[in-house]
Amino acid sequence: MSFAAIYKNSIEQPQAFWDGEAKLIDWQQPYSHVLDYSKPPFTQWFVGGKTNLCHNAVDRWVATQGEKAALIAISTETGSEKVYSFTELQAEVSRTAAIMLALGVGKGDRVLIYMPMIAEAAFAMLACARIGAIHSVVFGGFAAHSLASRIEDAQPKLVVSADAGSRGGKAIPYKPLLDEAIALSAHKPGKVLLVNRNLAPMNLVDGRDVDYATLRAQHIDAQVPITWLESNEPSYILYTSGTTGKPKGVQRDVGGYAVALASSMQHIFCGNPGETYFATSDIGWVVGHSYIVYGPLIAGMATIMYEGLPTSPDAGIWWSIVEKYKVTRMFSAPTAVRVLRKQPPEFMQKYDLTSLKALYLAGEPLDETTSGWISDALKVPIIDNYWQTETGWPILSIAKGYEDMPTRLGSPGIPTPGFNVKLFDETTGEECGSNEKGVVMIEGPLPPGCMQTVYGDDARYVSTYWTVLNGKHLYSTFDWGIRDADGYYFILGRTDDVINVAGHRLGTREIEESISSHANVSEVAVVGVEDKLKGQVAVAFVILKNPDTANGVQARQALEKEIMGVVDHQLGAVARPSRVYFIAQLPKTRSGKLLRRSIQAICEGRDPGDMSSIEDPASLNQIKGALVS
Ligand code: PRX
């Protein structure tokens, strides 16, 4: 069947299509119906069916390929490398699950995982899945305030963490940030399970903090059975940024997610059992959930967890991993490729990369220069894919597992089966035709694997993402897009206040709130500005309570550093603005709304657009003046 026919079938007959895909995973109890869309936009897939993510990722493969590699944990930071077979992975996950049960964690309880890229992080995620606990992984690069707001929202019974991560050979302590976050949060987790890597000193809190190695030894022979879950029970929460300062807990199910991952691994990523998959993301982001931990394992592949920089010990490190473990499919982000492009090509040419069949890139727009460079260097297809934390797997790509369709430069591709993608004009509400810019929307029901709701807040889920137009429920991606006459989409940036720094999704409101907490800050605007390496960087414009404190270059620089320090401390260096400018007035509409898009346009040297609603046009000169100061 042609891709076009398969896609059409997936949209017109979703039940039949997904019933077929559901055979890619094991079910302990069959579902009674494929889809329940009786309360739109809420969608239930595989209703009544019982399954388990850990069973499908681990136990299922123990019987047929138990001795084959499952998890390959490499750290160039600590110089460690360990291969876990499926049998060994099952044993480790069982031990971690037994520890969790002994600490009082049960089905439906939340476990927050704040960890570096080490094997124990994957054990913890899979252990939660095994016993039906709901994990919430928080990116290790986030600091105390970001962590505190997530602890408060998820209310975990247990936090799993470590003494430290490491970056560029420097230990980055996690435990003090975790202690500060728990102190800030109204909710206090009962227990904190700590992996001691001997990278940084740790103060243990009596009665709360417990040592992973000690408990692992106590549960060394544990065999924890799988807890079978109804397909629509929650598997995890992953917080993501949006328009407001409060991150949203994206909640996912069990059965739909397992099926979507199995399906995408087969048809988009084309991975086969026994092969090795290497995604260079982090478990703190959705790519880490779907395509480091669950996806490759569900497909029976070995997956690589890599802690370290792409350039250390030298820029050949990733390619040496590809050679050594015969990686067939690799997943990265355009920024990482741009970093490598600055290095001499010998680092890549030194290694035998013949095992590699394709490189997948996602998370931010893929520019033609980057795509052309890596394609010439690797001589394999470079496959862009566009999706979001909310969808869990690619919305747009070239699904070569169905048909070998051509890619098109600058385009992530065409809708993947199950995603009924449409473009709508923001002002008229009309559907766009070819080559007309609009907001990328998806008509419900969303396919399996997408978010079920905002954790604990169904109303916020509906009001944030959904619009009803002519009786149809439409999900907004908050991205601008355009479709050419052949159906290829091009993504043109966010419609909201989300920015994308090196493929990391950040909310400008969160950064503004953090900067506002500085005693001398009266008002602030943060915008995302184009950057050659990182795609975008955050830039802040601040009105001071006491403007005299910024008189003189030295004073300005000191204050800029101080404000960056506040963001580092509260949110993490990942959210730090690249520049902080001090101005006397911010451009606003007469009703007081910040004109962020105009500020952004000026920063990028573009026309600020229609200024008819601006309160004081002179305020734009303030931005221009600050940039040249
Ligand atoms: O703006 C789009 C951009 O990243 C956003 C989603 O980020 P996140 O939730 O972190 O999920 C990343 C999953 C890969 C999108 O709304 N984005 C993601 N992929 C692409 C992209 N922009 C352009 N091209 C892409 N391939």
Side-chain angles (χ1 to χ4, degrees), residues 121-151:
F123 303 160
M125 290 168 74
L126 291 161
C128 287
R130 189 171 194 87
I131 62 172
I134 302 168
H135 64 67
S136 183
V137 183
V138 177
F139 175 54
F142 282 139
H145 281 243
S146 307
L147 187 52
S149 64
R150 286 155 175 82
I151 292 175

Side-chain angles (χ1 to χ4, degrees), residues 163-178:
D163 56 340
S166 180
R167 201 174 159 77
K170 204 171 140 249
I172 301 176
Y174 278 32
K175 180 63 168 44
L177 299 186
L178 175 61

Side-chain angles (χ1 to χ4, degrees), residues 240 285-287 331 361-366 384-390 396 412 477-479 491-494 498 500 503-505:
T240 194
W285 306 107
V286 71
V287 176
F331 190 132
L361 295 173
E364 52 180 319
L366 174 61
D384 192 353
N385 53 115
Y386 158 83
W387 48 294
Q388 313 183 297
T389 304
E390 289 85 343
L396 302 173
T477 62
F478 295 99
D479 279 305
I491 300 297
L492 308 171
R494 298 279 304 195
V498 165
N500 196 321
H504 297 157
R505 174 169 164 181

Side-chain angles (χ1 to χ4, degrees), residues 153-211:
D153 195 74
Q155 310 222 326
K157 207 168 198 177
L158 171 71
V159 174
V160 187
S161 191
D163 56 340
S166 180
R167 201 174 159 77
K170 204 171 140 249
I172 301 176
Y174 278 32
K175 180 63 168 44
L177 299 186
L178 175 61
D179 286 340
E180 190 183 339
I182 294 174
L184 284 169
S185 163
H187 171 83
K188 312 288 176 199
K191 294 283 176 198
V192 175
L193 176 63
L194 290 155
V195 176
N196 190 354
R197 309 175 73 197
N198 289 312
L199 292 176
M202 275 197 289
N203 291 325
L204 298 188
V205 174
D206 245 8
R208 188 197 75 184
D209 297 355
V210 289
D211 177 55

